[in-house]
Amino acid sequence: MLHTERIVILDFGSQVTQLIARRIREIGVYAEIHPFNISEDKLRTLSPKGIILSGGPSSVYAEGAPQSTSAVFDIGVPVLGICYGLQLIAHQLGGKVGKSAKREFGRAELEAVKPDAIFDGISPNSTVWMSHGDSLVELPPNFEITARTENAPICAIRNNDGSIRGVQFHPEVHHTAEGKKILENFVKNICGCVGGWDAEHFIEAQIREIREKTGDGGVICALSGGVDSTVAAVLLHRAIGERLHCIHVDSGLMRSNESATIEKLFREHFDMTIDVVDASELFLGRLAGISDPEQKRKIIGKTFIDVFEIEAKKFGDAKFLAQGTLYPDVIESVSALGPSVTIKSHHNVGGLPEKMNLSLIEPFRELFKDEVRNVGRTLGVPDWFVDRHPFPGPGLAIRVLGEITRERLDILRKADDIYLEEIRKAGLYNDIWQAFAVLLPVLSVGVMGDERTYENTCALRAVTSVDGMTADWFPMPYDTLGAVSNRIINEVRGINRVCYDVSSKPPATIEWE
């Protein structure tokens, strides 16, 4: 997608790099993340209006610490370094960075030392969020201090012509009270961006791009039933009409009544044709005896492709396959610091088998989840659907821990349905980013009607988040937990114990597998 204004964020491995992009997009300016070791040619090709260097876990003076290309400072656009980014600016331009006398993690009061455009409109002694063990101890030549805190006498700097700035704190996190305003000052006042990046702008641009890319070819949309693929289908239908062929595959791994709900939504609300394919026998057959979560994901991803390969042959004009891939999917599949340990593979990220002879269309590859929801609302997707919690592509296969069977899937479906029903009844559903039940491969002893039982354990998960990149566990009221537990144990044969997960991401992930 073409962008007339673009802020480029170079990622040095911070856990919150994605938040920088999100905050800037909230301001109305498009921002995207690239690895720190981007080539000079690639960086110049992007034609950024400004460059931001993210935080990161390394020490700039350590052997092998990530460095940026010198082109960052040579291409003539404003640069802002955040935390590690500030230290990197100093390190590469002749300053000195060393261990802090006192490591600083948490809130601090920012005191302006000299007026600077990046702090225009910011309150005196504004609260900022620190997270660093190193500090800038000597300024690079032709730089000056613009702000300090009690523990960081060099907390913000700029060079003499105002083209390069750095801050030791993290303006992107919500703990920094006026962080969004600071980023807005940089993006609009210093970089000169006008803004205008919003749902309507995105829809108009995508429709033009989809029409240009597809020509007179047909598009098959992999309609999972989740928010992302549903909104993608509605957008594609608006762009190419009846050349869109929506296929919903019932993998046997769906939530209760999932396939019926999605079919009704498209036929009655959008007056769109949808082909529902029951492939549950194929999926469950291939998953029989498989317990490893990464194997599950790979099998499910390949099986979806195999099914779509067969279905695609029914549409002679089909030249493209559309997917609801999101920006976090892409980010989590690429490491900023080179090859990394795979946390989980995304079966909707990557290429297609050559024999399918279909090209990918991923209209939301640049969007975060809440941006997709805004696009959905603008396109007329009902709120009750747009606000649904995310559901993983592999479905309940990664929520039934261990081996997958029809019996275990049915047990989990019933427990999950009760859980979601009770949190809706309590008015909590929209306060939670994602809530679901997990069936554990753990049997425990119980007593029901004076009889001994030896049945499954069910874990309940609920988290708050903005985009799923980080998450906190939701403080579920005890009375709601009690109601859910009581109903599951009484109504779901096969479960005699319920637990609540109080882990955050990181160190845990949102899903259990």
Side-chain angles (χ1 to χ4, degrees):
M1 182 174 174
L2 294 175
H3 300 283
T4 57
E5 295 181 332
R6 186 196 319 258
I7 297 295
V8 168
I9 301 158
L10 299 187
D11 183 13
F12 290 87
S14 169
Q15 294 279 358
V16 291
T17 298
Q18 295 78 23
L19 290 181
I20 305 172
R22 287 188 45 76
R23 296 293 175 262
I24 293 172
R25 291 186 187 190
E26 288 169 2
I27 294 163
V29 176
Y30 179 73
E32 64 185 30
I33 299 166
H34 289 272
F36 73 92
N37 55 358
I38 186 173
S39 69
E40 179 176 344
D41 288 345
K42 174 66 173 177
L43 185 60
R44 290 184 183 277
T45 299
L46 292 171
S47 300
K49 298 279 284 185
I51 298 171
I52 296 178
L53 311 181
S54 83
S58 304
S59 292
V60 294
Y61 49 79
E63 185 177 352
Q67 308 284 315
S68 65
T69 170
S70 60
V72 166
F73 309 111
D74 298 337
I75 64 175
V77 300
V79 176
L80 172 64
I82 295 174
C83 198
Y84 181 90
L86 160 85
Q87 297 165 14
L88 186 66
I89 288 170
H91 182 70
Q92 292 192 198
L93 297 183
K96 186 176 179 181
V97 177
K99 287 287 184 187
S100 300
K102 176 184 176 184
R103 293 192 304 170
E104 192 171 19
F105 300 95
R107 291 178 173 83
E109 284 193 357
L110 186 72
E111 178 187 350
V113 174
K114 289 188 178 181
D116 186 16
I118 201 168
F119 298 129
D120 283 353
I122 302 303
S123 308
N125 305 115
S126 186
T127 299
V128 297
W129 183 262
M130 294 289 201
S131 180
H132 64 99
D134 291 336
S135 296
L136 178 54
V137 295
E138 184 179 312
L139 288 173
N142 303 314
F143 275 76
E144 61 183 353
I145 301 171
T146 57
R148 65 188 178 192
T149 67
E150 182 179 355
N151 193 52
I154 307 177
C155 188
I157 63 172
R158 71 171 175 216
N159 65 349
N160 290 345
D161 66 9
S163 62
I164 304 173
R165 288 172 170 80
V167 294
Q168 184 62 72
F169 59 90
H170 287 272
E172 69 272 28
V173 302
H174 74 271
H175 307 81
T176 296
E178 297 174 283
K180 187 173 177 180
K181 176 61 176 172
I182 291 170
L183 290 173
E184 183 175 8
N185 285 339
F186 176 72
V187 168
K188 291 191 172 180
N189 298 348
I190 296 169
C191 297
C193 294
V194 176
W197 167 260
D198 57 21
E200 291 186 3
H201 170 270
F202 174 83
I203 291 168
E204 292 171 4
Q206 273 297 329
I207 286 175
R208 288 195 301 270
E209 188 170 314
I210 289 167
R211 287 172 178 168
E212 181 178 337
K213 183 173 183 177
T214 60
D216 60 358
V219 178
I220 292 175
C221 182
L223 196 60
S224 69
V227 173
D228 310 325
S229 63
T230 297
V231 177
V234 176
L235 174 63
L236 284 157
H237 189 258
R238 181 169 293 191
I240 62 173
E242 297 308 310
R243 286 190 287 116
L244 174 67
H245 312 296
C246 291
I247 300 173
H248 172 69
V249 175
D250 183 351
S251 61
L253 306 169
M254 313 299 290
R255 288 172 293 197
S256 182
N257 299 316
E258 185 79 14
S259 295
T261 299
I262 190 68
E263 184 175 12
K264 182 177 180 181
L265 174 71
F266 274 83
R267 293 191 188 281
E268 296 184 4
H269 188 84
F270 295 113
D271 194 25
M272 290 170 58
T273 302
I274 174 174
D275 289 339
V276 178
V277 181
D278 185 353
S280 56
E281 292 290 344
L282 177 62
F283 277 86
L284 296 183
R286 291 185 177 184
L287 289 167
I290 303 298
S291 297
D292 180 74
E294 193 64 16
Q295 273 191 278
K296 289 180 185 178
R297 288 178 177 272
K298 289 178 178 178
I299 289 170
I300 292 166
K302 183 181 184 306
T303 305
F304 269 116
I305 292 296
D306 290 345
V307 171
F308 281 114
E309 182 182 4
I310 295 170
E311 295 301 315
K313 294 176 181 177
K314 299 177 182 178
F315 305 101
D317 67 338
K319 297 179 181 178
F320 302 89
L321 175 66
Q323 295 184 153
T325 307
L326 298 188
Y327 199 31
D329 296 336
V330 177
I331 294 169
E332 284 193 355
S333 298
V334 179
S335 170
L337 302 177
S340 62
V341 176
T342 298
I343 296 172
K344 59 178 181 176
S345 61
H346 293 271
H347 73 263
N348 60 335
V349 177
L352 294 170
E354 291 183 7
K355 62 182 180 178
M356 275 196 76
N357 200 30
L358 295 177
S359 299
L360 270 180
I361 292 182
E362 297 172 307
F364 302 148
R365 193 177 176 87
E366 296 179 343
L367 298 191
F368 290 98
K369 187 75 167 190
D370 64 318
E371 292 175 316
V372 175
R373 294 189 200 277
N374 289 336
V375 169
R377 292 187 184 95
T378 304
L379 288 170
V381 180
D383 284 345
W384 67 265
F385 194 92
V386 169
D387 292 331
R388 294 177 90 197
H389 293 175
F391 187 65
L396 298 182
I398 57 170
R399 294 177 180 174
V400 171
L401 272 58
E403 187 176 355
I404 299 165
T405 65
R406 281 192 183 275
E407 180 186 13
R408 300 191 75 212
L409 286 166
D410 287 340
I411 289 172
L412 178 59
R413 254 188 283 270
K414 293 172 185 174
D416 191 67
D417 206 34
I418 290 170
Y419 184 29
L420 296 181
E421 182 181 324
E422 286 297 322
I423 63 175
R424 283 192 176 97
K425 188 188 298 182
L428 299 172
Y429 187 85
N430 289 335
D431 296 331
I432 298 170
W433 161 263
Q434 193 172 13
F436 54 90
V438 180
L439 190 65
L440 305 183
V442 175
L443 297 176
S444 70
V445 175
V447 179
M448 292 184 179
D450 294 327
E451 293 184 1
R452 179 184 184 274
T453 62
Y454 194 53
E455 295 181 334
N456 295 279
T457 301
C458 173
L460 305 178
R461 181 78 157 135
V463 298
T464 57
S465 181
V466 176
D467 49 39
M469 302 303 295
T470 60
D472 290 322
W473 60 276
F474 180 76
M476 191 73 68
Y478 290 153
D479 56 347
T480 303
L481 278 176
V484 174
S485 176
N486 188 57
R487 282 195 60 193
I488 288 175
I489 291 172
N490 284 328
E491 298 177 31
V492 182
R493 187 175 295 274
I495 293 176
N496 68 353
R497 190 177 298 272
V498 175
C499 306
Y500 189 62
D501 182 350
V502 292
S503 309
S504 296
K505 177 187 179 181
T509 54
I510 295 177
E511 297 286 348
W512 278 48
E513 288 192 341

